Amino acid sequence: MDTIALDSRLRHAGGFLGRRSGMLIDGKLVQAVSGKTFPVYNPATGTVIANVPEGDKADVDLAVAAARRAFDDGVWAKVGPSARGKMLWKLADLIERDLEELAELESIDNGKPYAVAKVADLPLAVDMFRYMAGWATKITGSTLPLSLPGEYLSYTVREPVGVVGQIIPWNFPLLMACWKLAPALAAGCTVVLKAAEQTPMSALRLGELFQEAGFPPGVVNILTGFGETAGAAIAAHPDVDKVAFTGSTEVGKLIVQAAAGNLKKVSLELGGKSPAIILPDADLDLAISGAANAIFFNHGQCCCAGSRLYAHKSVYDKVVSGVADIASKIKVGPGLDPSTEMGPLVSDEQFSRVTSYIEDGRRSGAHVAVGGNRVGNLGYFVAPTVLEKTTPDMKVIREEIFGPVVCATPFDDNDLDAIAKRANDTIYGLAASVWTANGGTAHKLASRIRSGTVWINCHNVFDASLPFGGYKQSGWGREMGAEVFHNYTEVKAVTAAL
């Protein structure tokens, strides 16, 4: 048994970390059928903070059976839309009540600064449940005028898709769970959710809050385990009607293959290599700070991070110098340290991935303007890094690094089609930002960029009402907003001869 090491700076989450937490299956907190557990690490120190159940196929079978009963036997269907909305709102109240505890769990589990989790991740999670609570009573169909001879009444209804398997990533553990759970439950689906093995703690605590909020048994099931076992079992399960996945494009393709058995519906929010484009007329102070935030927010572990920085040659040197200066001043440290601005990467594996990309960039001819090194000898810290002299054929430009590494490239075109061609030169299409003082230019360029989100004079702006998802290999479908209900409902057409 690993020794549990709790940070002395914990003020709210120590009690939860100190007890044996369980997975939520059929309304009960349980251990894995196998009895196995696995350790969870604090990425700031590499020490074990908890041991959690190692769920696998047997546990998935139990969870799916519970979700199937709750859906098919009408337990959840008999809870009307208004009552569903009230339950979602109550859960939001409970998350808000325990905001400090959950923020600490995110910090010690994922590595992100506690202050950031407290003012960003948690409020957005609360807002997601409240926003979707309002939608529970507003998922409607329409009446349709038919053109064929005769008299008919035709209408459509939107019905819940059924049992939904959800697999979430480690970069925003609680927020991603809320992005998935809230709309699925508002639509009337039942859910089996698997937390990322690197960051399961806030999901397990969320399971306790679902119990407290009074959700019927089987409606929400939350598992911990590994992607190769529990995740694969969810994706392939014949009684799962739909799978929603957020993670890498490589794993997303495996999800699609696994889902083919019963042709379950699939939505995917995958990788990105998002461009931040700074035009010569941009407010440079705004653009420089915005470009830095675009890549260094959440340690660069963000699917829409502005990891490709394109600046017009007339402002390129000033932009790179400014971003590098910001990077050099970012305070890197443990997430629970109040002075920390950037925490560690989530795991040793991610640390090795990011540092190997930096070294590959060096070997390929990129110049490290700032950073490029490990910070300290403990934990998984990488200095915020700016790479210059990057070219379109380099791996650091072509592939998603998922760390605090930005690749800067000048351009000398004033033609918007040429600029957009650079931005679109990627297999991904998740997000982009455009920095300019000319509103017309901004919107013209936004129309040419093939991505699910284009920010103008901002980056990393999220709201429960904004649909989020990608073009090309950045995924299928959209999270949030009204668009998300296409993921969790089926449309039925009803026609009656009069």
Side-chain angles (χ1 to χ4, degrees):
M1 178 69 69
D2 296 283
T3 300
I4 305 301
L6 296 185
D7 195 299
S8 61
R9 286 168 290 204
L10 286 171
R11 295 291 179 268
H12 306 280
F16 175 74
L17 290 170
R19 66 177 185 263
R20 194 181 190 199
S21 55
M23 303 183 292
L24 179 64
I25 298 180
D26 203 15
K28 301 180 180 66
L29 298 177
V30 300
Q31 299 302 307
V33 171
S34 67
K36 293 181 181 178
T37 62
F38 65 94
V40 180
Y41 296 93
N42 176 357
T45 61
T47 56
V48 177
I49 58 171
N51 291 283
V52 301
E54 186 180 329
D56 57 23
K57 184 179 183 302
D59 305 281
V60 170
D61 287 342
L62 291 175
V64 172
R68 190 85 262 167
R69 285 192 301 272
F71 186 81
D72 289 346
D73 294 345
V75 174
W76 190 227
K78 291 175 184 175
V79 177
S82 180
R84 287 203 304 272
K86 288 179 180 178
M87 294 175 75
L88 291 171
W89 195 280
K90 183 175 182 180
L91 185 71
D93 289 343
L94 294 175
I95 294 173
E96 191 170 55
R97 181 197 70 188
D98 295 340
L99 187 144
E100 286 91 353
E101 177 190 13
L102 290 163
E104 283 190 351
L105 287 176
E106 293 294 81
S107 180
I108 198 170
D109 199 8
N110 166 273
K112 67 180 62 192
Y114 166 74
V116 173
K118 186 176 178 180
V119 301
D121 297 52
L122 267 298
L124 287 171
V126 170
D127 190 54
M128 179 57 61
F129 273 104
R130 288 180 177 157
Y131 177 85
M132 292 301 169
W135 267 107
T137 56
K138 300 170 186 67
I139 301 172
T140 62
S142 58
T143 56
L144 305 170
L146 302 190
S147 300
L148 75 165
E151 294 185 76
Y152 301 89
L153 172 63
S154 293
Y155 60 91
T156 61
V157 292
R158 283 196 171 272
E159 299 180 340
V161 71
V163 175
V164 178
Q166 299 180 327
I167 302 171
I168 60 171
W170 46 256
N171 56 338
F172 296 90
L174 183 67
L175 184 57
M176 292 298 100
C178 297
W179 277 25
K180 291 284 189 288
L181 287 162
L185 296 171
C189 300
T190 57
V191 177
V192 176
L193 180 140
K194 190 196 86 69
E197 53 264 36
Q198 299 89 344
T199 55
M201 302 314 300
S202 59
L204 291 174
R205 181 69 182 108
L206 186 63
E208 296 180 353
L209 297 183
F210 271 106
Q211 279 189 315
E212 187 176 349
F215 280 76
V219 172
V220 178
N221 304 271
I222 296 177
L223 309 182
T224 51
F226 295 96
E228 298 85 352
T229 51
I234 290 172
H237 204 290
D239 280 337
V240 171
D241 301 301
K242 184 255 176 356
V243 63
F245 171 76
T246 295
S248 70
T249 295
E250 294 75 19
V251 175
K253 292 176 180 179
L254 297 176
I255 296 286
V256 172
Q257 295 173 17
N262 66 338
L263 291 179
K264 59 174 61 68
K265 294 181 179 297
V266 177
S267 58
L268 304 167
E269 198 268 277
L270 305 176
K273 196 71 181 174
S274 301
I277 304 165
I278 300 179
L279 300 179
D281 65 344
D283 177 334
L284 289 188
D285 290 338
L286 177 68
I288 288 168
S289 63
N293 176 68
I295 183 60
F296 300 133
F297 172 66
N298 207 53
H299 330 162
Q301 297 174 141
C302 191
C303 52
C304 56
S307 54
R308 291 185 294 145
L309 174 58
Y310 296 106
H312 191 272
K313 65 177 182 179
S314 64
V315 297
Y316 175 80
D317 289 341
K318 186 172 183 179
V319 167
V320 171
S321 175
V323 173
D325 183 58
I326 291 172
S328 69
K329 295 175 181 175
I330 293 174
K331 173 68 186 313
V332 178
L336 292 176
D337 185 333
S339 67
T340 290
E341 297 172 312
M342 178 183 291
L345 299 178
V346 74
S347 65
D348 183 56
E349 179 184 5
Q350 189 64 13
F351 174 85
S352 298
R353 173 188 172 90
V354 172
T355 53
S356 69
Y357 270 109
I358 295 171
E359 289 308 308
D360 186 87
R362 280 193 174 105
R363 288 193 300 270
S364 300
H367 170 253
V368 179
V370 70
N373 57 286
R374 179 175 192 152
V375 177
N377 298 315
L378 190 66
Y380 314 125
F381 297 93
V382 172
T385 300
V386 177
L387 299 180
E388 288 189 273
K389 299 181 180 179
T390 54
T391 57
D393 59 322
M394 291 181 178
K395 279 179 64 176
V396 290
I397 285 283
R398 309 304 305 175
E399 300 180 12
E400 185 176 39
I401 298 174
F402 222 64
V405 182
V406 64
C407 300
T409 306
F411 65 89
D412 57 9
D413 294 299
N414 292 311
D415 179 72
L416 296 185
D417 290 327
I419 296 170
K421 186 176 180 180
R422 281 177 176 264
N424 294 332
D425 185 20
T426 172
I427 63 171
Y428 300 109
L430 189 58
S433 60
V434 177
W435 303 82
T436 175
N438 188 312
T441 298
H443 291 289
K444 287 177 182 178
L445 190 51
S447 71
R448 290 164 168 78
I449 294 173
R450 292 187 52 76
S451 67
T453 293
V454 178
W455 289 294
I456 296 174
N457 294 326
C458 57
H459 202 108
N460 288 328
V461 175
F462 303 99
D463 187 86
S465 66
L466 281 170
F468 184 79
Y471 289 25
K472 299 186 282 187
Q473 293 190 41
S474 286
W476 296 344
R478 294 292 181 268
E479 307 281 352
M480 302 194 293
E483 290 292 322
V484 73
F485 292 105
H486 293 288
N487 292 348
Y488 297 114
T489 57
E490 297 269 25
V491 177
K492 178 183 288 182
V494 180
T495 297
L498 302 180

